[in-house]
Each structure stands twice: as structure tokens, then as C-alpha cells.
Amino acid sequence: MHQDPPLPATVAETAAAVVELLDALHGRGMESLPDGPVPPSQLRALRAIERCEGIKLRALAEALGSRPPATSRLCDRMEADGLIRRAPSASSRREVELWLSPRARRVLAEVRSARVRELQEIMRTLAPDSLAGLSTHLGRLHTAIEERLGTSQTAGLETADAQIADVQIADARIGEERIADARIDGSAIGEQESSAA
């Protein structure tokens, strides 16, 4: 019997629920980090700085959807924790550039490893065809999100706005690499199960 495709609103609700569960899963993994958990606000800022090293404070505030004073206080805490360093801007003496410290790079690597381990355990419970389908549809969702982000950029970008665009583009590239890895893993699982059969 023919079934009507699900409404976009229904799919969006499901996707939003998955995002919430991923946040909960991520929070559980944070407890096992060697250096202890890192506040989500700091993680978001560290990732933004990582994708655009030397980013200015105003550009970071825009990328985080925050006000510059609040972002400045956040950077104060991260600098005190040894996660970032500030350096005078080469283009303006009134601005500073933000850079990750070696400790921050180690923290980000540990966070990603913990997240991948959690997700791999879940992905192993899925059938190969489901895993392949999930990879395909996530790829399409990624493309749609990338296009949505692209339409928000204007032709008259200032330097800070251009840095924000760089952050978004880097995000998209990272997403593409992870989707490609998922497809490879799905194919490998399918081949192993076929051989076992």
C-alpha cells in the first residue's frame, strides 16, 4: 500500500530529538576525559577558533551568536585555564587574535575520540543497509544545511564576517570527511557479513 512521504515538520522533529540525544551522549563521554569535562560554551568557542586560527574577538562572537563582552569574558576564562592565547593583530593594534594552546588541541582530540567511540558502538547495532542509507541521507542533509548557510552570506563581507564564513566552510568540509568515513565503514561491515554468510 502506498504511503505518503513524511512531512518536513515531522522529520525535523525527529532530527531535533536525535540532536538532543547526541548532546546527552556527548555529555556522558565528557566525564571520562583525562583532564575532566569542559563546559559546552568553551568547546564551541575552541572549535570555532580551531577552524579559523587567529580569529578576532568580534568574529568569534558572531560565530557563537553571542555579544562581544560575553565572548570576551569567556575568552578570559579559557586563557586562565591555559586553553587559548591572545596575540596582537597584525592588521590593527586595537584588536587581538585568538589562538589555541597545545592543551586545547589535546582536549579537542580527546573529545572527538570519546564521541567517535560512543557513536561507533551505536553504529555497530545497525544493519549494513541501514547504515548505508543513514550515510546517504546524512550526506543530503549536510548539503542542504551547507546551502542554507551559504545563502546567509552577503557579497559585502567585512574581514570579521569573512572569518565567520571560513568557520562555516571548514565545518562543512569536516562533515564531508566524516560522512565519507561512515560510508566506508558501512561498506566494510557489509562485506564482512557477506563473507561470514
Side-chain angles (χ1 to χ4, degrees):
M1 188 172 81
H2 175 73
Q3 291 183 338
D4 293 331
L7 296 174
T10 302
V11 179
E13 289 175 357
T14 302
V18 170
V19 170
E20 290 180 0
L21 289 174
L22 288 174
D23 286 340
L25 190 68
H26 175 57
R28 188 175 68 176
M30 289 287 291
E31 299 297 329
S32 63
L33 294 180
D35 290 338
V38 179
S41 59
Q42 291 191 11
L43 275 179
R44 288 183 60 224
L46 290 176
R47 291 192 186 105
I49 296 171
E50 179 189 41
R51 294 167 196 138
C52 191
E53 289 270 6
I55 191 172
K56 308 294 193 304
L57 180 64
R58 189 172 78 85
L60 178 61
E62 291 285 346
L64 299 177
S66 179
R67 294 178 179 275
T71 303
S72 180
R73 290 192 295 270
L74 177 63
C75 289
D76 289 340
R77 292 193 293 273
M78 291 192 297
E79 187 174 31
D81 290 340
L83 294 172
I84 66 169
R85 64 180 179 85
R86 290 169 168 161
S89 172
S91 59
S92 173
R93 295 182 179 179
R94 299 177 59 184
E95 294 186 297
V96 295
E97 298 173 348
L98 304 172
W99 301 82
L100 294 182
S101 70
R103 178 173 181 253
R105 298 184 194 283
R106 185 175 68 253
V107 166
L108 288 174
E110 291 168 352
V111 168
R112 290 187 177 115
S113 294
R115 175 172 286 184
V116 168
R117 284 195 300 271
E118 290 280 1
L119 288 175
Q120 280 180 337
E121 291 299 320
I122 296 172
M123 295 302 174
R124 289 192 180 101
T125 67
L126 301 178
D129 57 342
S130 296
L131 192 62
L134 178 63
S135 178
T136 298
H137 294 306
L138 284 177
R140 293 171 181 169
L141 178 62
H142 164 264
T143 300
I145 293 173
E146 184 182 31
E147 291 175 353
R148 177 65 177 267
L149 290 175
T151 59
S152 68
Q153 306 304 318
T154 61
L157 289 172
E158 298 178 355
T159 301
D161 295 328
Q163 289 181 324
I164 298 167
D166 289 341
V167 170
Q168 294 171 337
I169 291 170
D171 252 343
R173 288 173 178 167
I174 291 172
E176 289 172 352
E177 292 172 358
R178 291 176 179 168
I179 290 168
D181 291 341
R183 286 176 176 155
I184 293 172
D185 290 343
S187 299
I189 292 173
E191 291 174 359
Q192 291 172 359
E193 294 195 353
S194 298
S195 298

